[in-house]
Amino acid sequence: VIGLTAAVCLAESGFGVRLISDRRPLKTASANSGAIWGPFLSALEPRVREWSFETYTEFERLARRGVKSVQMLPGTFAAHDGLDIPSWVKQLPGAVECRRDALPEGYVSGYRYVSPVVDMPAYLGYLRRRLASRGTHLEIAHVTSLAERAFPEELIVNCTGLGSIALAADHNLSHSRGFLVVVDNPGLEEFFSERGDGPNLVNILPQGDKIVLGGTVDAAEDLEPDEAVLQAIVDRCAAIFPELLTSPRRGYRAGLRPCRTTVRFGCEQLDGHDVIHSYGHGGSGVSVSWGAGRAVASLAAELRR
Ligand SMILES: Cc1cc2nc3c(=O)[nH]c(=O)nc-3n(C[C@H](O)[C@H](O)[C@H](O)COP(=O)(O)OP(=O)(O)OC[C@H]3O[C@@H](n4cnc5c(N)ncnc54)[C@H](O)[C@@H]3O)c2cc1C
């Protein structure tokens, strides 16, 4: 999502763009994310905050324009202990604190707001079509060196997520594994998220006739799911909406979040080429994608001035 969005921003700013990826979009971490807007497993530094709000506004615009994979949904964020409304939520239109008696059993604090919820497999298809309308099509190839095959006048943009451990020799990157479960939507129209600091999260994300349930966070790498882990995700979510327990399961999602102390964004010179890096967005890559993509396009324009 980081690379495709940056490619759209570059192409729509007048750059000719070649898009290279060693995986098909549906096989990436991005396709396997939930996805709800908000900071998670990513330092909320000023530029990330700014990119998040730019992205919120862009998702709002896409939803208004009828892009079906993006919806603006009302919902609740709740906790089992005291929770202050974070400043990033206070900035959103309509954010309100919940009365305790309006929360599901066991929760003591929470707030309501409207959030973008994105159907990622479909949304990546939308980005690809938007890029194709500018003449850019995805080339499947593995890149072993950032300056490889590029002409000196070309600018390279590196949005390879965890691929940058090898490609940019970046050992500040590490993965955080996550599983989600997809079931038929029994008719829910609001999202629900629980504040999660541990390995087990609660995220209920309606997306039309399906609903994505989350999730997990751990340091393992194997993407083969354990049935007990998937069932535990459903059980946690069904504790809030019991109808989820009997919703037919459609499948699961598994991915590795590209985590880094801070996002890497900026330009370096490599073998005579300008290389713009944009990776390490943790559990918030979708949430910052438009801000990060536009930052790439602005930096590219500055470098070419
Ligand atoms: C279970 C789960 C739930 C999540 N939920 C949310 C959420 O609700 N909200 C949110 O904002 N974020 C969420 N995330 C995080 C989000 O998915 C990531 O931050 C985001 O996908 C990172 O995007 P990316 O484009 O950097 O990485 P990726 O999607 O991994 O894309 C990297 C691309 O680089 C390519 N590549 C890598 N190395 C090479 C190479 N050497 N040569 C050629 N190509 C290469 C890959 O093929 C791929 O196309 C979630 C993640 C997971 C796993």
Side-chain angles (χ1 to χ4, degrees):
V1 72
I2 296 296
L4 268 173
T5 314
V8 168
C9 293
L10 285 162
E12 293 181 359
S13 313
F15 284 89
V17 179
R18 275 183 73 194
L19 181 70
I20 303 174
S21 165
D22 63 1
R23 291 176 182 217
R24 301 224 152 257
L26 294 184
K27 299 283 182 198
T28 59
S30 302
N32 283 289
S33 64
I36 187 165
W37 179 88
F40 182 63
L41 294 180
S42 171
L44 201 49
E45 44 178 332
R47 62 185 174 179
V48 169
R49 203 183 172 96
E50 199 179 302
W51 293 343
S52 301
F53 283 102
E54 259 186 73
T55 305
Y56 186 103
T57 306
E58 186 57 28
F59 280 145
E60 211 173 23
R61 206 171 66 86
L62 293 177
R64 230 183 2 253
R65 275 182 31 203
V67 174
K68 286 203 177 62
S69 47
V70 181
Q71 299 174 84
M72 297 301 293
L73 286 189
T76 303
F77 186 93
H80 291 288
D81 52 7
L83 177 71
D84 288 329
I85 301 192
S87 54
W88 59 268
V89 171
K90 281 187 191 152
Q91 278 177 255
L92 302 178
V96 286
E97 204 165 339
C98 294
R99 287 199 335 262
R100 187 170 173 170
D101 60 6
L103 291 166
E105 211 183 314
Y107 291 92
V108 304
S109 60
Y111 43 84
R112 288 181 60 77
Y113 63 105
V114 173
S115 177
V117 172
V118 184
D119 176 349
M120 287 307 295
Y123 178 65
L124 294 178
Y126 161 78
L127 289 178
R128 279 186 73 180
R129 287 191 297 280
R130 190 157 153 181
L131 204 49
S133 74
R134 300 266 167 174
T136 298
H137 300 277
L138 176 65
E139 300 171 38
I140 299 291
H142 180 68
V143 176
T144 50
S145 131
L146 280 173
E148 172 188 87
R149 294 189 297 170
F151 294 108
E153 66 274 16
E154 285 179 338
L155 184 66
I156 297 161
V157 182
N158 171 28
C159 303
T160 54
L162 286 170
S164 289
I165 296 175
L167 211 46
D170 190 336
H171 299 291
N172 283 330
L173 267 171
S174 61
H175 65 264
S176 151
R177 182 178 71 164
F179 286 109
L180 308 171
V181 176
V182 185
V183 300
D184 282 356
N185 186 352
L188 301 179
E189 289 177 347
E190 296 202 348
F191 75 85
F192 182 90
S193 289
E194 177 188 299
R195 183 177 64 191
D197 307 320
N200 298 321
L201 308 173
V202 176
N203 273 304
I204 298 171
L205 309 177
Q207 295 171 24
D209 62 359
K210 67 174 178 282
I211 189 156
V212 177
L213 308 177
T216 62
V217 179
D218 65 41
E221 206 167 358
D222 175 11
L223 294 180
E224 270 310 305
D226 179 339
E227 173 53 28
V229 170
L230 300 185
Q231 188 56 45
I233 293 174
V234 175
D235 292 347
R236 283 198 297 280
C237 295
I240 295 146
F241 296 111
E243 57 270 49
L244 291 171
L245 202 54
T246 49
S247 280
R249 198 188 290 178
R250 293 193 182 188
Y252 70 91
R253 292 185 188 169
L256 301 176
R257 304 171 182 92
C259 294
R260 199 171 182 275
T261 336
T262 56
V263 169
R264 183 165 187 200
F265 175 75
C267 181
E268 73 170 336
Q269 274 272 320
L270 271 181
D271 302 336
H273 298 270
D274 284 326
V275 177
I276 298 177
H277 297 284
S278 180
Y279 63 78
H281 302 84
S284 312
V286 181
S287 310
V288 298
S289 52
W290 283 100
R294 285 179 190 150
V296 166
S298 304
L299 183 52
E302 238 173 72
L303 290 166
R304 285 295 167 262
R305 211 168 280 145

